[in-house]
Amino acid sequence: MSDLLARLRDRHWRLTAQRRVVAQVLDGDHVHFTADEIHARAVALLPEISRATVYNTLGELVALGEVLEVSTDGRAKRYDPNAHHAHQHLVCESCGTIRDVHPSGDPLGSLPATERYGFSVSGVEVTYRGLCPNCAQK
Amino acid sequence: MSDLLARLRDRHWRLTAQRRVVAQVLDGDHVHFTADEIHARAVALLPEISRATVYNTLGELVALGEVLEVSTDGRAKRYDPNAHHAHQHLVCESCGTIRDVHPSGDPLGSLPATERYGFSVSGVEVTYRGLCPNCAQK
DNA sequence: ACCCTACCTTAGACATTGTCTAAGTCAACA
DNA sequence: TGTTGACTTAGACAATGTCTAAGGTAGGGT
């Protein structure tokens, strides 16, 4: 994560206490928090941080390619700090838990030219859906 | 589409004017409207139809498996009446247009057991992203 | 043909998530 | 250490979706 802060400094980001706290909350490669969850955790570390700043900071991190935005369910977007290793998501339909997964094969290659309708295709997202062990039990 | 209405009657759906109009708007296999767009088109056919009824009806059609709900961007969900032929989506990042596409291979098969973390995986969605010919030109 | 009644529809309040604005604050450079 | 433009703030606003209580009606039963 200090790598992240270093990269951001290189890009002339002002290192404010608020931005540091958001980065700290996102630390760890396997969290998929919503903006509200990030705000709640940030407030625990820096009580006066505002919702707007959390949204601003997340938006900037996404624009810089340091964090991925995932909307798996039309509810709140989730933010995925694991932006530097290609992966896909496995989502529990019941509790919303997300796991990072690594399918075999190149998903982009599976779309033949005749199915591209003149689009310039730049990316692909694969979302597997199911029940996590916990929810399957109930 | 009369098939749809027939199937719904078989399931003891009350065929109200409102539900007929929503079904009519969804007619055609390649539309991907938002709830608001569906409401606007429904109002043109039946001025007194309410927003709540459109939401209710769409929710029921989704629960019955007659319509798919797609949220490609964290904005408004879109409703896809092409629920009976497996397909994936190609989305224009600029204007939001969606095309139905048919990739080769079985996307579910690409997730090895060691990457399933005990989940019972029941489905997979593939979303290709890019620019449509129109937006690419600009 | 006409009642019933359970199911459907309605308007509008409310909830959730996200965006914007105007004023105040502060990180970084000189 | 002073200056300045980028950053942060509270709260209003916007977009989308859900809920409620009251009234309407489709369709079965007669």
Side-chain angles (χ1 to χ4, degrees):
Chain A
M1 172 182 88
S2 52
D3 318 355
L4 169 59
L5 293 180
R7 280 197 302 276
L8 295 176
R9 196 163 25 233
D10 288 350
R11 306 211 212 181
H12 309 105
W13 241 42
R14 253 188 220 187
L15 280 197
T16 66
Q18 290 84 349
R19 288 173 168 181
R20 251 187 277 263
V21 162
V22 170
Q24 188 176 340
V25 169
L26 286 174
D27 194 14
D29 272 348
H30 299 292
V31 297
H32 301 88
F33 293 138
T34 64
D36 255 18
E37 289 166 349
I38 292 167
H39 179 235
R41 283 168 172 75
V43 163
L45 302 172
L46 183 71
E48 70 272 27
I49 192 172
S50 77
R51 235 163 46 91
T53 294
V54 171
Y55 276 104
N56 286 343
T57 304
L58 290 172
E60 289 155 7
L61 288 171
V62 169
L64 290 173
E66 295 288 348
V67 166
L68 299 175
E69 208 174 51
V70 286
S71 40
T72 53
D73 63 348
R75 302 291 310 274
K77 290 176 193 160
R78 291 177 176 274
Y79 293 88
D80 180 348
N82 185 10
H84 297 298
H85 298 89
H87 66 281
Q88 306 300 339
H89 291 124
L90 170 55
V91 180
C92 176
E93 308 244 51
S94 171
C95 67
T97 296
I98 299 181
R99 301 276 328 210
D100 287 354
V101 293
H102 303 83
S104 60
D106 170 23
L108 250 188
S110 63
L111 193 65
T114 56
E115 284 284 316
R116 297 193 181 199
Y117 301 98
F119 279 56
S120 68
V121 180
S122 55
V124 58
E125 260 166 48
V126 183
T127 305
Y128 298 90
R129 299 186 182 278
L131 289 176
C132 71
N134 245 332
C135 292
Q137 240 170 9
K138 292 173 197 162
Chain B
M1 172 182 89
S2 53
D3 318 356
L4 170 59
L5 293 179
R7 280 197 300 278
L8 295 176
R9 197 164 23 234
D10 287 351
R11 305 211 211 180
H12 308 106
W13 241 43
R14 238 179 234 194
L15 280 197
T16 66
Q18 290 84 348
R19 287 173 170 182
R20 251 187 278 263
V21 163
V22 170
Q24 187 176 341
V25 170
L26 286 174
D27 196 14
D29 272 348
H30 299 292
V31 297
H32 302 87
F33 293 138
T34 64
D36 257 17
E37 289 165 350
I38 291 166
H39 180 234
R41 285 167 171 75
V43 162
L45 301 172
L46 183 70
E48 69 271 28
I49 193 172
S50 77
R51 234 163 46 91
T53 295
V54 171
Y55 276 104
N56 287 343
T57 304
L58 290 172
E60 289 155 8
L61 288 171
V62 170
L64 290 173
E66 295 288 348
V67 166
L68 300 175
E69 208 174 52
V70 285
S71 38
T72 53
D73 63 349
R75 302 291 310 274
K77 289 175 193 161
R78 292 177 176 274
Y79 293 89
D80 180 348
N82 185 11
H84 296 298
H85 298 91
H87 67 281
Q88 307 299 339
H89 291 123
L90 171 55
V91 180
C92 175
E93 307 244 51
S94 171
C95 67
T97 296
I98 300 181
R99 302 276 327 209
D100 287 354
V101 294
H102 304 83
S104 60
D106 170 24
L108 250 189
S110 63
L111 194 65
T114 55
E115 284 284 316
R116 298 194 179 200
Y117 300 100
F119 279 56
S120 67
V121 180
S122 56
V124 58
E125 259 167 50
V126 182
T127 304
Y128 299 89
R129 298 186 183 278
L131 289 176
C132 71
N134 244 334
C135 292
Q137 240 168 11
K138 292 173 198 161

